[in-house]
């Protein structure tokens, strides 16, 4: 779609590309994942504080909540929390190393190592939760 500018010339109207996933590189996806995990951890922090407020209602309310959180759905959310925390921390270390000029040429390998470590952490957490 062309549009006539007020200076008299025709110019192409450009759509914003920030929501278009095509042509993105690995660093962009790592950035997006780091931001999403950070937002998820902040949301978890506020949820955790709200849940702790049930202690004010006495031991019966707390015990009922603990029983609810032992269900498999909530244990799966615990695994998601562990994965988000591990990825956010390890990717943050990668960003700090690359940003300080260390291992700049190895940033893809560092991201792959972070992903492998996240998988191992989640596997260990799953074994501990299910045991």
């Amino acid at each position: 779609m062309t549009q006539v500018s007020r200076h008299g010339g025709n110019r192409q109207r450009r759509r914003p590309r920030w929501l278009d996933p095509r042509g993105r590189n690995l660093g962009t996806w790592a950035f997006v994942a780091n931001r999403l995990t950070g937002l998820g951890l902040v949301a978890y922090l506020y949820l955790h504080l709200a849940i702790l407020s049930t202690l004010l209602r006495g031991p019966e309310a707390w015990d009922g909540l603990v029983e609810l959180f032992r269900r498999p759905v909530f244990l799966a959310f615990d695994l998601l929390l562990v994965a988000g925390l591990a990825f956010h921390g390890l990717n943050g270390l990668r960003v700090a190393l690359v940003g300080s000029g260390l291992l700049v040429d190895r940033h893809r390998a560092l991201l792959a190592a972070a992903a492998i470590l996240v998988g191992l952490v989640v596997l260990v957490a799953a074994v501990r939760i299910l045991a």
Side-chain angles (χ1 to χ4, degrees), residues 44-114:
Y44 171 76
L45 175 67
Y46 283 112
L47 182 64
H48 182 68
L49 292 173
I51 288 169
L52 283 179
S53 69
T54 60
L55 285 171
L56 298 172
R57 288 189 261 152
E60 297 84 22
W62 179 253
D63 290 341
L65 201 57
V66 169
E67 281 301 315
L68 176 70
F69 289 152
R70 287 190 178 167
R71 293 186 181 170
V73 157
F74 289 102
L75 295 178
F77 282 131
D78 281 347
L79 286 178
L80 186 65
L81 172 68
V82 168
L85 186 62
F87 180 80
H88 190 76
L90 291 171
N91 194 38
L93 285 174
R94 181 191 71 86
V95 168
L97 286 171
V98 171
S100 64
L102 302 170
L103 302 172
V104 175
D105 56 337
R106 304 267 186 218
H107 74 92
R108 288 179 189 249
L110 287 172
L111 185 60

Side-chain angles (χ1 to χ4, degrees), residues 1-3 11-18:
M1 169 182 247
T2 60
Q3 178 181 0
R11 65 182 170 121
Q12 286 289 344
R13 202 166 148 191
R14 298 175 80 177
R15 302 181 96 173
R17 275 189 27 107
W18 58 278

Side-chain angles (χ1 to χ4, degrees), residues 14 22 30 34-35 37 42-43 47 74 79 85 104 123 127:
R14 298 175 80 177
R22 294 173 295 176
N34 208 45
R35 290 297 167 120
T37 55
V42 168
L47 182 64
F74 289 102
L79 286 178
L85 186 62
V104 175
L123 183 65
V127 167

Side-chain angles (χ1 to χ4, degrees), residues 86-87 90 108-124:
F87 180 80
L90 291 171
R108 288 179 189 249
L110 287 172
L111 185 60
I116 290 169
L117 285 174
V118 166
L120 289 174
V121 166
V122 169
L123 183 65
V124 168

